[in-house]
Amino acid sequence: MTGIRFFSYVKNNGGDGKISMTIGAGDKSASKEFNVTAGTRYVFQASVPVEKSSTTNFTYAAKFPGSPGYTDTHVVSGYHHTGAPYDLQMNPK
């Protein structure tokens, strides 16, 4: 399977707890809950299965919870997604 690995770097400015992360690629999405520690920087990662295509593109977006919240969105040209994102991870940086 060919895939594109997505990375986003964030800092938990809130307290210790759990967050639910969602990432979407085109019309497919995946969610996972993570434990986070106050004041810790993280690398959020997920893979999106793709196929090369010279005439299409897709957008992926990771939605971070909280106030005010944050969405990291990118357009990927030259590929189309073939399924939902997978292998979501949130690792301390």
Side-chain angles (χ1 to χ4, degrees):
M1 176 184 328
T2 300
I4 293 176
R5 192 75 177 154
F6 167 85
F7 294 89
S8 189
Y9 302 91
V10 295
K11 181 178 179 184
N12 177 17
N13 289 327
D16 293 355
K18 295 180 184 243
I19 63 167
S20 181
M21 290 295 303
T22 299
I23 183 167
D27 61 348
K28 307 288 185 190
S29 66
S31 297
K32 185 172 180 180
E33 188 173 83
F34 297 97
N35 292 317
V36 293
T37 303
T40 303
R41 294 178 187 269
Y42 291 93
V43 179
F44 173 70
Q45 343 177 14
S47 292
V48 177
V50 298
E51 288 182 352
K52 280 190 167 264
S53 173
S54 61
T55 60
T56 62
N57 62 44
F58 71 93
T59 300
Y60 61 80
K63 296 182 180 181
F64 294 84
S67 178
Y70 172 69
T71 301
D72 192 1
T73 304
H74 297 278
V75 175
V76 179
S77 298
Y79 294 90
H80 70 272
H81 70 93
T82 59
Y86 62 97
D87 192 25
L88 282 68
Q89 298 178 26
M90 180 79 81
N91 299 307
K93 182 177 175 199

